[in-house]
Amino acid sequence: MATMLEKRPSIVEREISVTLTCPEMQQASRGLTWASAAKTIWLFTADDFTTFVVPETAFGICAALSGPLLTENDSPELLPVLKRIPTVVLWNWLNLFIFNLANQRFPESVAEDKINRPWRPLPAGRISTIQTRRLLLLAIPIVLGLSVYLGAWEETALLYTLNWTYNDLGGGDDGFILRNVLLAIAFSQYNKGSLRVATRAGFEILPRTWWWIIITSAVIGTTMHIQDIKDLEGDRAKNRRTIPIVLGDEPARWSVAIPVMMWSVACPAFWGLGVGGYVLPVGVGSAIAWRTLRQREIAADKVTWKMWTAWTGVIWMLPLFKDYSVFVRFFQQFGSVL
């Protein structure tokens, strides 16, 4: 056992090895300007902003606007809640930034991104793995401190633990079941944190809110592997055990299409919506299911993935389909002013 431990390279040694063997990485430490550094930071999260930060922000804002359905505020005001959009975006982006730094810094991740996302900072040679690790060490306490200020430090603290489990302990690569479970738990914290930042609420979460968070987490855990269909080659390079790799392309596609259709019906049913409340989620969900099963080119899979993120945004909006009184109050007040 001692011999095996001695032969296993540390994370730092692996980072040094990649840095010394990749000419692109050797250029990363040369001539960084503030503009270049800002662009590098942005590129760590650029391709996840519209597919992650925007839907999670929508969850928090829509939940806050739904008033007594999910919060203790019986009559929320539209404009004050909308003014909190930048802070909800900031909280989500900061936590995404931590996750992506932790996820993208490993040599295996760099190899994967050279195939799937060559514009990211590490495969593009904008920053080295050692610099990325140091940036992560600096960012962790800063983001936690800002989360305390924004009112969602508890969620950030749990996300740090999940990041460690997913990335450093290999939970994201050690089988698709564990990976999906970790992602579902993580999204529960992103959703709950978004709600807290949007409402400026304390630690009291209503029972129905917990159920909605559990349901939306289940939506993620049973459908998010749609992203693995488009990332097949890169995941193979990283030796990930995703559903398309382990079970094959056909079962993977069915394992997305069926839950998407199921949740497109179950989520409106949870809120007791009328027929009109089913139109948008079922319509978008049906399009996703059809494309997943019939449109199998890589370019088509990428479009379907983006449609899935839009579909989750529709699901997150359903509380407002049930209680839209915040808009009625706003237009009544607006009309009285006119």
Side-chain angles (χ1 to χ4, degrees):
M1 178 64 72
T3 303
M4 293 175 63
L5 291 175
E6 289 172 0
K7 291 183 177 180
R8 185 177 181 180
S10 67
I11 292 176
V12 176
E13 290 172 337
R14 289 159 63 198
E15 291 171 343
I16 293 174
S17 174
V18 172
T19 302
L20 293 178
T21 55
C22 294
E24 297 93 339
M25 298 297 182
Q26 296 175 13
Q27 298 174 4
S29 59
R30 301 175 186 173
L32 280 177
T33 63
W34 284 108
S36 177
K39 183 176 181 180
T40 297
I41 289 173
W42 167 248
L43 288 175
F44 273 109
T45 61
D47 55 331
D48 294 321
F49 190 86
T50 56
T51 58
F52 174 80
V53 174
V54 172
E56 294 311 294
T57 299
F59 180 95
I61 295 298
C62 290
L65 290 174
S66 68
L69 288 183
L70 294 172
T71 75
E72 295 179 338
N73 187 350
D74 292 335
S75 56
E77 296 296 330
L78 180 64
L79 293 182
V81 174
L82 293 183
K83 287 179 181 178
R84 295 174 198 152
I85 289 177
T87 57
V88 182
V89 168
L90 176 63
W91 184 84
N92 277 288
W93 181 84
L94 287 170
N95 284 277
L96 173 67
F97 181 58
I98 293 294
F99 176 84
N100 281 7
L101 284 177
N103 179 258
Q104 296 174 27
R105 77 187 196 277
F106 294 110
E108 299 86 353
S109 299
V110 177
E112 176 194 5
D113 285 341
K114 280 183 177 291
I115 298 171
N116 289 337
R117 303 169 185 85
W119 59 85
R120 282 181 168 176
L122 283 158
R126 299 183 63 90
I127 192 172
S128 73
T129 52
I130 294 177
Q131 290 170 325
T132 302
R133 180 173 60 84
R134 290 171 178 169
L135 179 58
L136 178 61
L137 290 171
L138 175 65
I140 285 174
I142 293 175
V143 171
L144 182 59
L146 288 172
S147 295
V148 171
Y149 174 75
L150 294 173
W153 69 268
E154 184 182 51
E155 289 76 13
T156 294
L158 182 51
L159 285 170
Y160 283 0
T161 303
L162 293 168
N163 285 344
W164 174 66
T165 304
Y166 187 95
N167 294 305
D168 294 81
L169 296 186
D173 303 323
D174 195 19
F176 59 84
I177 295 178
L178 177 59
R179 181 169 186 255
N180 284 14
V181 169
L182 290 172
L183 288 173
I185 297 173
F187 268 77
S188 73
Q189 298 310 298
Y190 280 110
N191 286 344
K192 186 154 67 79
S194 296
L195 174 58
R196 281 193 169 148
V197 175
T199 60
R200 296 180 180 174
F203 290 101
E204 292 298 326
I205 300 294
L206 301 179
R208 181 160 44 183
T209 309
W210 276 116
W211 278 113
W212 184 231
I213 290 172
I214 291 170
I215 290 172
T216 53
S217 299
V219 170
I220 295 297
T222 55
T223 64
M224 192 173 180
H225 55 282
I226 188 174
Q227 67 178 328
D228 299 331
I229 296 174
K230 68 179 178 62
D231 292 339
L232 182 61
E233 294 304 319
D235 288 336
R236 277 182 178 150
K238 196 179 179 183
N239 295 318
R240 271 195 177 131
R241 295 179 57 80
T242 61
I243 291 181
I245 293 173
V246 175
L247 301 182
D249 184 71
E250 188 73 18
R253 292 179 182 275
W254 279 101
S255 71
V256 169
I258 293 175
V260 164
M261 289 307 304
M262 181 189 75
W263 290 119
S264 295
V265 175
C267 290
F270 172 80
W271 290 110
L273 299 180
V275 175
Y278 287 78
V279 172
L280 194 54
V282 171
V284 179
S286 299
I288 292 170
W290 182 85
R291 287 183 59 88
T292 301
L293 297 174
R294 302 301 298 271
Q295 301 291 320
R296 304 194 175 203
E297 300 81 9
I298 294 178
D301 287 334
K302 291 180 178 179
V303 173
T304 305
W305 152 250
K306 292 181 179 179
M307 290 179 62
W308 176 86
T309 64
W311 172 76
T312 61
V314 171
I315 297 296
W316 299 174
M317 291 170 59
L318 290 179
L320 281 181
F321 290 19
K322 178 69 174 179
D323 187 344
Y324 48 85
S325 59
V326 63
F327 298 105
V328 175
R329 286 193 301 274
F330 173 77
F331 285 110
Q332 287 176 342
Q333 294 171 358
F334 184 74
S336 64
V337 171
L338 293 179

